[in-house]
Amino acid sequence: MDYDMTEGSIIPKLLRFVLPVFLGNVFQQFYNMVDTIIVGRYVSAKALAAVGSTGTIMFLILGFATGLTGGFTVITSQAYGAGDERKVRHSVANGIILSIFVTIVMTAVSLLSMKPLLRLMNTPEDIFQDAYTYISIICVGCAVSIFYNLFTSYLRSVGNSQVPLYFLIFSACLNIVLDLAFTVGMRKGVAGAAWATVISQGAAALLTFLYIYMKIPLLRPLKTDWYLDKGESRKQMQVGVPMALQFAITASGTMIMQTSINLFGSTAISAFTAASKVQNLFTQGIVSMGVSMTTYAGQNYGAQKIRRIREGVFKAMLILAAYSVAAAAAEILFLPQFSRLFFAGDVDMAAMLKWEYPYIYVSVAFFIPLCMIFINRNTMQGCGYSLLPMLCGVVELAARFIMAYISMAKHSYALAVAGDAAAWVAAGIFSMFSFFHVIRRIEKKLGEPVRNKEAEIDRHGV
């Protein structure tokens, strides 16, 4: 089941594609929240702080994997838009081979660097061992995360955003069952929560692979496709590495922000962890539209419908502007109820909310620049342009570093939690100018063929 986004009315096309992605991302957030909720309620608030303190490191590792594999599949999306089935199949095979090498390197590097990294981030001693235990197990499971993201990205590259949702729902439910079994039933603490995450995501990766193999012949390489092509590998790495670095740079910024928050102790870390999980849940509409724009732009770029890309960016912003207002209001209104999920009944919630609300208030005020980042950056990536999106991450990193440095110098929690907002404003503006530069460059590069093709489209009323 594939989905052509190069024809038809843009807003219905985007909404139909983005809805399963959004639901999948919401389930992914619940999937990630389960560990912290169960650990916080059934182990201790300090265990919650330990898991929460590793969140930015997980984002670094998993974000790098997501960016790299997503970059590999941009070539697949473009080949699909151009109607080149042979190139689609070979890009799949080539991406899988490259991902095997990436898995080996990432697992080894992440395990070797974990203790020094936790020390560098000012992780408090009373939660250090639990934090190290949890993140080490996540590192061991790098392979399942890489291949789950690779296979779901292949499905989305041909417009199939529904099947990944079904497998993610299954995986999220399995994660809850395993979390309760390992953490509550077997009393394995944070280690049980980590193993539950790895096993359930491994199940999702296996199911996605089996579905592609049995149901999507277009994405099933033939024997003649299984070789590592130098030119194809270079193209995939040219897109994938900058996308991965962009995630890594953004994650580095959030790690710097976490470092400044860690100075305020385990109680502040626990509260910030809960607030950030709630925040991540409500921003999934923005993230999902970004994912959708990668596929939308990739297919239309392959079909040389550049004006349609411009229109898609504008209409995606209209959709997200409305979403941002609703999400901000709901997040502020329901924060106490969501936050209560993370803590046992004897925890003073008023004390926790005192740390949570400053972060939420300042963040929701700047959702629009965040929308600009995801739409502009992912559109450029879908067109095969990776340098400027990566530099967008550098801008985010610089803004977070400045805010973290000032907050540590002033010992100000308010400045520490303003790091996200500062990063979104700076990178949002940068992404907007970058997109205009890229789209003009594409129009100049393709020139007359684009104008002729789009004129032909208009004559046929598409």
Side-chain angles (χ1 to χ4, degrees), residues 118-312:
L118 288 171
R119 296 287 184 197
L120 185 64
M121 291 179 63
N122 299 322
T123 306
E125 286 298 327
D126 58 344
I127 63 172
F128 186 91
Q129 188 55 48
D130 276 348
Y132 177 70
T133 298
Y134 181 83
I135 196 61
S136 295
I137 295 171
I138 297 298
C139 292
V140 170
C142 271
V144 296
S145 177
I146 289 171
F147 281 96
Y148 169 73
N149 282 291
L150 180 69
F151 296 145
T152 56
S153 293
Y154 280 136
L155 284 175
R156 288 171 182 154
S157 71
V158 296
N160 189 332
S161 60
Q162 296 178 357
V163 169
L165 168 63
Y166 303 147
F167 293 145
L168 187 58
I169 291 173
F170 168 79
S171 179
C173 293
L174 178 61
N175 188 40
I176 294 172
V177 172
L178 294 178
D179 257 321
L180 291 171
F182 293 163
T183 305
V184 181
M186 300 171 64
R187 300 187 180 279
K188 295 295 184 180
V190 297
W195 280 118
T197 296
V198 171
I199 293 170
S200 55
Q201 193 162 56
L206 178 61
L207 288 171
T208 309
F209 166 75
L210 291 174
Y211 179 85
I212 290 173
Y213 185 79
M214 294 187 293
K215 299 290 186 179
I216 313 291
L218 180 63
L219 295 177
R220 188 171 65 233
L222 304 176
K223 287 184 179 180
T224 53
D225 296 315
W226 287 102
Y227 62 94
L228 197 63
D229 181 82
K230 183 178 179 181
E232 187 79 2
S233 298
R234 183 173 63 251
K235 290 178 182 177
Q236 289 182 319
M237 294 297 285
Q238 282 175 344
V239 178
V241 170
M243 285 178 68
L245 289 175
Q246 171 250 304
F247 270 99
I249 291 166
T250 301
S252 298
T254 60
M255 288 168 62
I256 292 170
M257 181 175 165
Q258 183 71 52
T259 301
S260 65
I261 291 166
N262 287 350
L263 293 175
F264 295 90
S266 57
T267 299
I269 297 172
S270 298
F272 177 77
T273 297
S276 61
K277 292 295 183 183
V278 175
Q279 172 89 306
N280 288 339
L281 180 64
F282 280 96
T283 55
Q284 287 315 300
I286 300 171
V287 175
S288 302
M289 184 60 78
V291 172
S292 302
M293 289 304 294
T294 302
T295 298
Y296 175 87
Q299 289 190 11
N300 282 284
Y301 180 83
Q304 296 191 7
K305 297 183 178 180
I306 309 308
R307 188 171 65 186
R308 186 174 172 87
I309 295 175
R310 278 184 176 270
E311 293 174 358

Side-chain angles (χ1 to χ4, degrees), residues 293-412:
M293 289 304 294
T294 302
T295 298
Y296 175 87
Q299 289 190 11
N300 282 284
Y301 180 83
Q304 296 191 7
K305 297 183 178 180
I306 309 308
R307 188 171 65 186
R308 186 174 172 87
I309 295 175
R310 278 184 176 270
E311 293 174 358
V313 167
F314 175 72
K315 291 178 179 179
M317 272 303 304
L318 290 180
I319 294 170
L320 285 191
Y323 174 85
S324 296
V325 173
E331 187 172 342
I332 292 172
L333 183 62
F334 295 109
L335 178 62
Q337 288 77 12
F338 276 102
S339 184
R340 166 55 70 186
L341 296 174
F342 294 89
F343 301 101
D346 59 346
V347 172
D348 182 0
M349 288 306 303
M352 291 296 175
L353 289 170
K354 180 185 72 173
W355 295 101
E356 293 179 33
Y357 268 120
Y359 173 63
I360 297 301
Y361 282 140
V362 73
S363 296
V364 299
F366 294 95
F367 273 176
I368 295 299
L370 180 63
C371 297
M372 293 166 60
I373 294 171
F374 275 97
I375 291 175
N376 294 326
R377 184 180 65 193
N378 286 53
T379 299
M380 289 186 285
Q381 289 169 341
C383 294
Y385 287 79
S386 301
L387 178 59
L388 286 172
M390 183 181 71
L391 292 178
C392 187
V394 174
V395 173
E396 287 190 66
L397 173 64
R400 285 194 176 95
F401 177 83
I402 292 169
M403 292 301 294
Y405 178 82
I406 296 173
S407 73
M408 287 187 282
K410 302 279 188 182
H411 198 69
S412 168

